[in-house]
């Protein structure tokens, strides 16, 4: 009986780990310009993914980006604090799930610009999304899809 029980428990543990590793944090804070509607649309997108969003639109974004270590070339109209990471721009759930699954030693990830078809932006995706990771104001490729 013990021989059968151990593999079943191991499989149960692995299945639970795989599911929870792709979960996003339950809450996040979005720092944005008060006049930006696409930022609000991004917040709604995250809420449809099960994340409760607090919007802060009365803060100096430059100081938030500096605190987060966002390189100037990745700067967007909003910055999201999610778990222990910072998210810059209209980053899709696929990249967020990869980030929280891998848990790399970085400050966060970002998507340059406001590409069509990205969450919060109208239109269909016209080119692959190039997601960058950043740490201490330096960036490197994270994933492309």
């Amino acid at each position: 009986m013990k021989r059968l029980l151990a593999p079943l428990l191991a499989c149960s543990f692995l299945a639970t780990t795989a599911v929870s590793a792709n979960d996003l944090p339950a809450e996040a804070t979005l720092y944005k310009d008060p006049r930006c509607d696409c930022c609000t649309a991004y917040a709604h997108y995250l809420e449809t993914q099960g994340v409760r969003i607090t919007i802060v639109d009365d803060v100096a974004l430059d100081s938030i980006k500096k605190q987060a270590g966002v390189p100037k070339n990745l700067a967007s109209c909003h910055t999201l604090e999610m778990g222990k990471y910072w998210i810059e721009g209209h980053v899709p759930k696929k990249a967020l799930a990869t980030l929280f699954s891998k848990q790399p030693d970085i400050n966060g990830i970002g998507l340059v610009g406001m590409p069509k078809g990205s969450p919060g932006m109208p239109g269909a995706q016209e080119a692959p999304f190039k997601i960058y990771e950043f740490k201490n104001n330096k960036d490197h490729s994270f994933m492309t899809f």
Side-chain angles (χ1 to χ4, degrees), residues 69-128:
V70 176
K72 290 189 185 289
N73 61 309
L74 287 183
S76 176
C77 54
H78 62 261
T79 303
L80 182 75
E81 187 175 13
M82 181 179 247
K84 66 179 185 178
Y85 295 108
W86 295 93
I87 313 303
E88 190 68 15
H90 296 262
V91 177
K93 182 182 179 183
K94 180 176 181 176
L96 297 174
T98 300
L99 173 68
F100 285 98
S101 173
K102 291 184 175 184
Q103 297 281 315
D105 181 24
I106 58 174
N107 291 31
I109 59 175
L111 174 61
V112 177
M114 301 161 81
K116 287 184 179 181
S118 63
M121 296 304 298
Q125 182 177 351
E126 295 179 342

Side-chain angles (χ1 to χ4, degrees), residues 12-98:
S12 172
F13 174 76
L14 289 174
T16 303
T17 303
V19 172
S20 62
N22 287 327
D23 287 346
L24 300 180
E27 298 179 348
T29 302
L30 183 78
Y31 301 95
K32 70 179 218 51
D33 181 307
R35 299 173 302 269
C36 188
D37 291 334
C38 69
C39 300
T40 303
Y42 185 67
H44 290 304
Y45 164 79
L46 292 172
E47 288 173 337
T48 66
Q49 305 305 310
V51 181
R52 199 169 30 256
I53 301 295
T54 300
I55 295 176
V56 179
D57 61 7
D58 61 349
V59 67
L61 280 174
D62 288 341
S63 65
I64 295 293
K65 292 176 190 316
K66 185 176 181 179
Q67 175 186 344
V70 176
K72 290 189 185 289
N73 61 309
L74 287 183
S76 176
C77 54
H78 62 261
T79 303
L80 182 75
E81 187 175 13
M82 181 179 247
K84 66 179 185 178
Y85 295 108
W86 295 93
I87 313 303
E88 190 68 15
H90 296 262
V91 177
K93 182 182 179 183
K94 180 176 181 176
L96 297 174
T98 300

